[in-house]
Amino acid sequence: MAASDITTSSRPDAAGAPERELTDGFHLVIDALKLNGIDTIYGVPGIPITDLGRLAQAEGMRVISFRHEQNAGNAAAIAGFLTKKPGICLTVSAPGFLNGLTALANATTNCFPMILISGSSEREIVDLQQGDYEEMDQLAIAKPLCKAAFRVLHAADIGIGVARAIRAAVSGRPGGVYLDLPAKLFAQVMDAEAGARSLVEVIDPAPAQIPAPAAVRRALDLLKGAKRPLIILGKGAAYAQADEAIRALVERSGIPYVPMSMAKGLLPDTHPQSAGAARSLVLKEADVVLLLGARLNWLLSHGKGKSWGEPGSTRFIQVDIEPREMDSNVEIAAPLVGDIGSCVEALLDGMGSGWAAPPSAWLEAIAARKEANLSKMAGKLRKNAAPMDFHGALGALRDVMAERPETILVNEGANTLDLARGIIDMHRPRKRLDVGTWGVMGIGMGFAVAAAIETGHPVLAVEGDSAFGFSGMEVETICRYQLPVCVVVFNNNGIYRGTDVNPSGGSDVATTVFVAGSRYDRMMEAFGGVGVNVTTPDELGRAVRAALDSGRPTLINAEIDPAAGTESGNIGSLNPQSSVQRKKPAA
Ligand code: ADP
Ligand code: TPW
Ligand code: MG
């Protein structure tokens, strides 16, 4: 009997009593997800979860099938970031699981809540390593790469298993959870009523975490005494959806702020207190820094070294839900542990209404540096030349985003990423989705699909040509679901640049170079979408506006000068270079 027949089936009980409704593992998984408000699954079908996807669709869930699990996983992860509910990625066993695992690990690293649900092979055979179909001890492999990992062996435990997975994903610091569901579980049959009773609705899955009053006072005392205060907004602050409170904190305190990449738009980048355009000045000069949902990791030079002032000259207040984040890189003078919403409200309460603005010398120094940097940039952004350089092309996209602030910007690449981050202003919260903490390539199409599905807003994906290649096949997915996604490929024929030459003089091209003159736009046309090739910023702007107006899947191949980029974008300092000069081998 196919699993899909189960709902309608019933069996007479042994004594010939009235027939009882039955349920099974498939239906219990779906019911458990739905009970907890989860209505979308991202995945790739196959043994043993084909029927699970099919039944979920039959039961009214949105099931989005991808061409590769990593992209489905990235979609689930960013759905989690956007909604504060765990995004679900569903895969087959061993290879499908492994394909999804990169996304699960990346989600955990970025503090995005997601659940990777993978079917797995027969435990008895896997554990004796007897060579089952797609044999792999998935639970053990997933465990070190995510926040929590669970396996369910009995249908009656599905409700608890799903509840534990949800709680683990969204409570405290959010992250990725692995849920292992062996093939045999799905077909296990049980009494429908008992099954329904076994489900768990997770009450208050991410409880508020109120900061201690003494910690709030300590933070405010430090902030009050600051001569050159600074607020750094991180993607934890964007995730928290405490937008109004955060804006009130920034505005009432009068303190300048710098947004980390995915926190851009939490307050509009055009806000007078934004010090984004004076970033290097404020990091170096600030005496007290309030970190709001941002870690002092490599993206902030670990809070020390040449990007910062003299050792000891910067004191930190850190607001974070994870207590162990404190002192991870430098001493935190005022740790404030709690959820961002509660912490910001507590800070606002403690500030009262008579908070004095920071010293004007500090604000004026920042304003002057901003002004200088912005005017230096302005001319470059209006260059309408062919071939385009990054600045000219991004200047055109910046105008489009200003006109259409609801558009979600997905962004990956090296130069394409770093320059877009600096140039394209964001105007609304959670509209910029990018490579995150790892700087990983390959998030593009997964993020774009989920952003469109979860929000209904148009998506503009600005992709380096290399970056795009990691998930490019999903343009078929975008066409299949007719999503309002416009992909712009910044085609400079390569990784960082398209001009490198093979140092051996051999006939292979250099390792960073692709086929010259590629036409990525034709990939979209292959699936019924719109393809456009553009050579100037004006053409690019027109093509993007047309795409966003039409809502049709579109890919714009933007021809960028292959010589325009720099190695590793703006993190060249992290890229080791050999200083050894070897003698050429004798011919
Ligand atoms: P960015 O890359 O933008 O600097 P990070 O990912 O490094 O941001 O830091 C995000 C931080 O936000 C993490 O340390 C995480 O624990 C924290 N965080 C996530 N959600 C919340 C929340 N709701 N309340 C408080 N802190 C949060
Ligand atoms: C999963 C290393 C960082 S940036 C990049 C690679 C391969 C591509 C840069 O070229 P692109 O951008 O996209 O054409 P541009 O504008 O500079 O030409 N594998 C993974 N993640 C990373 N970060 C890499 C490799 C990398
Ligand atoms: Mg490139």
Side-chain angles (χ1 to χ4, degrees):
M1 179 172 60
S4 47
D5 297 336
I6 290 282
T7 35
T8 51
S9 81
S10 51
R11 61 175 160 72
D13 116 343
E19 293 194 343
R20 297 224 312 269
E21 288 295 325
L22 297 179
T23 189
D24 65 4
F26 286 107
H27 288 89
L28 287 166
V29 171
I30 294 161
D31 292 347
L33 293 173
K34 285 174 70 176
L35 181 66
N36 286 290
I38 293 170
D39 52 15
T40 307
I41 294 175
Y42 301 93
V44 176
I47 295 172
I49 50 86
T50 313
D51 231 16
L52 184 61
R54 199 177 274 142
L55 291 169
Q57 197 170 44
E59 298 279 330
M61 293 185 83
R62 192 101 199 253
V63 183
I64 306 297
S65 283
F66 284 73
R67 306 298 293 259
H68 189 291
E69 292 87 352
Q70 188 176 119
N71 306 317
N74 285 325
I78 210 65
F81 171 76
L82 289 168
T83 64
K84 298 183 87 174
K85 287 194 290 192
I88 305 294
C89 175
L90 180 64
T91 81
V92 303
S93 25
F97 156 78
L98 286 174
N99 285 346
L101 199 54
T102 308
L104 186 70
N106 187 54
T108 307
T109 297
N110 282 282
C111 315
F112 300 156
M114 77 172 272
I115 302 172
L116 175 67
I117 301 178
S118 296
S120 57
S121 307
E122 277 203 50
R123 286 255 48 85
E124 293 81 349
I125 302 179
V126 172
D127 288 349
L128 272 171
Q129 297 161 44
Q130 294 172 311
D132 199 7
Y133 168 72
E134 297 195 346
E135 174 179 299
M136 177 172 275
D137 189 358
Q138 296 167 197
L139 186 72
I141 290 165
K143 221 171 235 174
L145 297 175
C146 60
K147 195 176 163 193
F150 305 102
R151 176 186 292 134
V152 181
L153 292 176
H154 302 294
D157 290 333
I158 286 172
I160 288 291
V162 169
R164 296 210 74 187
I166 292 172
R167 232 181 236 294
V170 297
S171 62
R173 170 182 279 174
V177 175
Y178 175 59
L179 188 60
D180 192 79
L181 302 183
K184 268 192 192 165
L185 175 78
F186 294 112
Q188 275 180 33
V189 171
M190 69 184 284
D191 177 76
E193 238 177 70
R197 277 197 307 274
S198 74
L199 300 183
V200 176
E201 186 174 356
V202 181
I203 311 296
D204 196 11
Q209 288 182 223
I210 313 291
V216 176
R217 272 194 302 277
R218 190 186 297 121
L220 285 172
D221 286 347
L222 187 53
L223 205 55
K224 196 171 276 171
K227 296 198 170 53
R228 295 178 306 280
L230 175 69
I231 295 173
I232 297 180
L233 302 173
K235 60 178 161 331
Y239 172 79
Q241 298 193 18
D243 307 341
E244 286 314 308
I246 290 169
R247 189 181 184 120
L249 176 73
V250 170
E251 292 185 341
R252 210 190 295 167
S253 70
I255 298 175
Y257 71 92
V258 169
M260 300 300 288
S261 195
M262 283 177 60
K264 276 166 68 81
L266 202 41
L267 284 85
D269 282 333
T270 49
H271 193 284
Q273 283 171 256
S274 169
R279 192 176 193 271
S280 42
L281 173 89
V282 291
L283 293 194
K284 219 172 180 61
E285 300 287 323
D287 62 349
V288 175
V289 174
L290 168 61
L291 296 161
L292 210 55
R295 286 171 285 187
L296 281 177
N297 56 16
W298 71 279
L299 288 157
L300 284 168
S301 311
H302 306 281
K304 57 196 174 193
K306 63 183 187 333
S307 302
W308 294 87
E310 291 303 307
S313 65
T314 320
R315 282 178 303 163
F316 291 97
I317 303 164
Q318 183 159 27
V319 178
D320 206 290
I321 202 156
E322 173 55 65
R324 288 178 305 173
E325 188 55 39
M326 308 298 157
D327 308 322
S328 59
N329 286 270
V330 294
E331 178 186 285
I332 300 300
L336 195 53
V337 175
D339 72 276
I340 300 264
S342 302
C343 290
V344 171
E345 294 290 355
L347 288 170
L348 280 167
D349 279 353
M351 281 167 68
S353 52
W355 187 268
S360 54
W362 174 233
L363 303 181
E364 282 157 16
I366 297 169
R369 178 66 70 89
K370 262 177 77 171
E371 172 73 37
N373 285 346
L374 290 174
S375 64
K376 221 188 295 170
M377 181 82 91
K380 293 191 200 169
L381 301 183
R382 279 192 297 271
K383 211 170 100 192
N384 189 41
M388 290 182 267
D389 61 15
F390 288 95
H391 286 84
L394 289 167
L397 297 182
R398 165 196 165 105
D399 293 345
V400 175
M401 285 299 292
E403 287 159 21
R404 301 159 193 254
E406 287 307 321
T407 308
I408 295 178
L409 181 72
V410 172
N411 189 200
E412 59 179 335
N415 295 283
T416 304
L417 175 88
D418 292 330
L419 293 167
R421 186 198 299 117
I423 291 170
I424 300 181
D425 285 333
M426 303 306 300
H427 306 270
R428 301 264 201 281
R430 293 172 295 283
K431 296 294 186 186
R432 186 184 156 85
L433 310 176
D434 69 24
V435 301
T437 304
W438 268 348
V440 67
M441 297 299 111
I443 49 85
M445 298 305 103
F447 278 17
V449 168
I453 297 272
E454 299 289 337
T455 71
H457 291 301
V459 177
L460 175 62
V462 179
E463 302 271 314
D465 51 342
S466 164
F468 174 69
F470 287 74
S471 67
M473 191 64 214
E474 303 298 345
V475 294
E476 188 276 331
T477 308
I478 291 168
C479 289
R480 187 163 15 107
Y481 295 102
Q482 284 298 306
L483 298 175
V485 174
C486 172
V487 183
V488 177
V489 174
F490 272 31
N491 187 353
N492 62 350
N493 290 345
I495 298 174
Y496 315 135
R497 268 190 309 266
T499 51
D500 279 7
V501 288
N502 178 343
S504 79
S507 61
D508 287 351
V509 296
T511 56
T512 52
V513 167
F514 299 147
V515 170
S518 297
R519 292 289 301 272
Y520 293 95
D521 47 316
R522 293 187 180 151
M523 287 176 67
M524 198 60 119
E525 289 173 349
F527 305 106
V530 179
V532 189
N533 189 65
V534 301
T535 57
T536 66
D538 282 354
E539 282 172 20
L540 174 60
R542 273 197 298 279
V544 172
R545 286 183 182 89
L548 296 176
D549 284 343
S550 74
R552 290 187 59 195
T554 302
L555 195 152
I556 300 167
N557 185 63
E559 293 183 18
I560 305 285
D561 181 354
T566 58
E567 173 118 345
S568 302
N570 72 7
I571 53 172
S573 60
L574 300 179
N575 196 18
Q577 306 271 332
S578 172
S579 58
V580 173
Q581 297 280 334
R582 279 236 186 119
K583 283 202 210 84
K584 282 244 189 290

